[in-house]
Amino acid sequence: MLKVDNLKINYGGIEAVKGISFEVPDQSIVTLIGANGAGKSSTLRAIAGLVKASGGSISFDGEDITSLPTAKRVAKGITLCPEGRHVFPDMTVLENIKIGAYLRNDSLEEDIQRVYKLFPRLEERHWQLAGTLSGGEQQMLAVARGLMSNPKILMLDEPSLGLAPIIVQEIFNIIKRINQEQGITVLLIEQNANMALKVADRAYVMETGSITMTGTGAELLANDEIQAAYLGRKK
Amino acid sequence: MSLTTFLQQCLTGISLGGAYALIAIGYTMVYGILRLINFAHGDIFMMAGYFMIFAMASMPWFIAVPFVLLVTTVLGVGIERVAYKPLRSAPRMSVMISAIGVSYLLQNLATYLFTALPMAYPEIPGLKKIFKIGGLSASFVTFFTPVLTIVLVYLLITLIHHTKMGMAMRAVSKDYETAALMGIDINRTISFTFAIGSLLAAIGSILYFTDRMTVFPFSGSLPGLKCFVAAVFGGIGSIPGAVVGGFVLGMGETALVAAGYSTFSDAFTFVVLIIILLVRPTGLFGEKTTNKV
Ligand SMILES: Nc1ncnc2c1ncn2[C@@H]1O[C@H](COP(=O)(O)OP(=O)(O)O)[C@@H](O)[C@H]1O
Ligand SMILES: [Mg+2]
């Protein structure tokens, strides 16, 4: 289980995350929603070890990981699919899938077949350079690559960004399947609050560096304020 | 010019080109992973020359050679640790200035320790032995250099494309953060890249100095500059590019000497540099910039 306690993140004196606390229980789907610039990506990047926390602590399975380097966190089972996908454009689809399993020394065949089953399109295109895939395919590849590390918790930073609604639906279905079939914990960031709240067991709302509201996905989905602010419906 | 003389010159050129290629690979690999022109690379090559002189004075050649390769590799990796690693998140210009500093430091250190007078490069048994093939006659090292270069380049490309470390190197040279998210240790991968570059520079130095016969503190400057141009010519960041660049410069230079224009042989390098920068600034196999979606 992941536990974030009073996490603060500074960028050159500007406090982007102002002491937030939340928990991600095992095998759950938790989402952080909020407007652009609220500090969602910064939070995930701090959990992955890409930015330093300037205060507070992050613990995973009871162990304090606040100052562990990124690679060590991956080894513990924390994997981030970064915002903007960041597949390796000059590598083939299959190489991208394999590099996700960089820290593993066991046979990958079974897991490769498993991600191919989740994303049949990646199997068709396994020889293609990742840079030539469409946006939706790159997002699928980024998720597949993340799964190859055998994560305990998979963090997804705006997987629906810039994708057609039908692809977004497909990605969210897969997120649910990953969680239910493989028992992987998911921490999801979204601006597409509607979709995220539908799949989430628990949701946190972030505004300018602070958590302002929390509840189950269904509760927030029904909340008037949330509807007005994030779902584009009138009060 | 008779056919034999022509072939003889070609052979000399290919051999010089092979040594250049090995050094140029070091520039291109370090640029690929750190976006840094490692100005100290030519001086690492020069230090390898001195290491060989002292190693051969106290051990048999078959121990001296691996010893020199090892010490040079350690030197290259050590320089990265001390002078470049602390600047990992500094602007690129700072790292470049640090590299220039290391270059001067090594040159002055060599002058201080070994004086500015050229020292005789030891002879590794067999390398200078004259071989005759048909009308061609050349020392063994001349035949051996291009063959060894091709073998090493083949091994290197296999390493980069078919091993995990190679995969890590490709990932790190594209995107540090995403590479780290895969569990790749960035610093280890960078150290490994410097190790390979320095190892190849050490091998290149043995081949090069065996032909030149002396080493002095500035022995690395001009060859270093030429090999840097070779890497730019081939498209900096590209290993096949560095190899082709090395061979083009080695052969072009030798052709000018053969044609009686030896005064211009060094200038040739820079003419090539100017032309490539005007005509094709990314070099022969230069990186296409991929657009991120
Ligand atoms: N590397 C950075 N340097 C400086 N400021 C940053 C950096 N990354 C993010 N920020 C700032 O931190 C705030 C939160 O950004 P971010 O975490 O990306 O928000 P979100 O993902 O919710 O859109 C924003 O004001 C952004 O400008
Ligand atoms: Mg973001």
Side-chain angles (χ1 to χ4, degrees), chain B residues 7 29 60 94 126 152 169 219 257 261-262 267 275-276 282 291:
Chain B
L7 289 177
M29 284 179 75
S94 315
L152 289 172
M169 288 163 71
S219 288
V257 175
Y261 297 107
S262 48
I275 292 173
I276 196 81
T282 52
N291 295 318

Side-chain angles (χ1 to χ4, degrees), chain A residues 11 16 35-42 83:
Chain A
Y11 295 111
N36 220 341
K40 308 181 297 294
S41 296
S42 302
E83 188 170 13

Side-chain angles (χ1 to χ4, degrees), chain A residues 9-12 14-17 33-45 51 83 157-158 189 191 206 209, chain B residues 177:
Chain A
I9 300 166
N10 281 343
Y11 295 111
I14 297 163
E15 201 164 49
V17 174
I33 59 173
N36 220 341
K40 308 181 297 294
S41 296
S42 302
T43 305
L44 286 204
R45 289 164 60 78
V51 295
E83 188 170 13
D157 194 340
E158 301 213 29
I189 279 186
Q191 284 192 53
M206 266 188 100
Chain B
E177 283 196 345

Side-chain angles (χ1 to χ4, degrees), chain B residues 27 36-43 84 96-97 99-100 103 225 228:
Chain B
Y27 281 104
L36 162 74
I37 296 158
N38 183 11
F39 287 101
H41 192 61
D43 305 290
Y84 308 151
M96 192 123 109
I97 291 167
I100 295 172
S103 167
L225 211 49
F228 167 61

